[in-house]
Amino acid sequence: MTTLEERLRSALRVALRERNAIAMSALRPTLAALANATAVESVPLAPGADEHVAGGVAGLGAAEVPRRELTEDEAVAIVRSEIAERTAAADHYGRSPAADRLRCEAALLSRFLD
């Protein structure tokens, strides 16, 4: 887990305690994007293996693979992408409460990059 991800998780715990809806709606999807980035790619089945038996490996946890580790630069790139998505959506909405909320979320996330 990167230090950026640890800081985001810590901020989410505080936001949950304080019931800060804007912070929660910014941090949860960002942490989910980071988690999705650590997923391993699917491995092709062994020759003659059945797709319903997961390669024919037996035993508890036999089909589990360790998640990949993100570098700090990869985590920063993902957070920047989340900020860019919110900014683009806010620009699309123009002047509205939804756009203001998205801009607040983007600003909150950008504070983690400083």
Side-chain angles (χ1 to χ4, degrees):
M1 184 180 314
T2 65
T3 57
L4 175 59
E5 187 175 357
E6 290 170 358
R7 290 184 306 160
L8 290 168
R9 286 189 189 285
S10 176
L12 178 61
R13 282 192 292 275
V14 171
L16 288 168
R17 222 174 301 123
E18 295 175 353
R19 298 179 186 208
N20 184 339
I22 292 175
M24 287 187 290
S25 65
L27 294 168
R28 280 182 172 151
T30 303
L31 286 166
L34 289 167
N36 287 341
T38 63
V40 292
E41 295 181 24
S42 61
V43 180
L45 292 176
D50 183 13
E51 65 185 44
H52 301 292
V53 187
V57 180
L60 180 64
E64 294 180 16
V65 228
R67 296 180 80 83
R68 76 180 196 90
E69 290 288 322
L70 288 178
T71 65
E72 195 68 25
D73 291 338
E74 290 172 325
V76 167
I78 291 169
V79 173
R80 285 189 198 283
S81 172
E82 290 289 315
I83 292 168
E85 285 179 20
R86 283 169 175 75
T87 304
D91 292 343
H92 176 73
Y93 286 132
R95 295 182 147 244
S96 69
D100 293 340
R101 182 182 179 111
L102 289 168
R103 285 188 188 92
C104 287
E105 289 179 14
L108 182 136
L109 291 175
S110 66
R111 282 185 276 183
F112 289 94
L113 301 179
D114 296 337

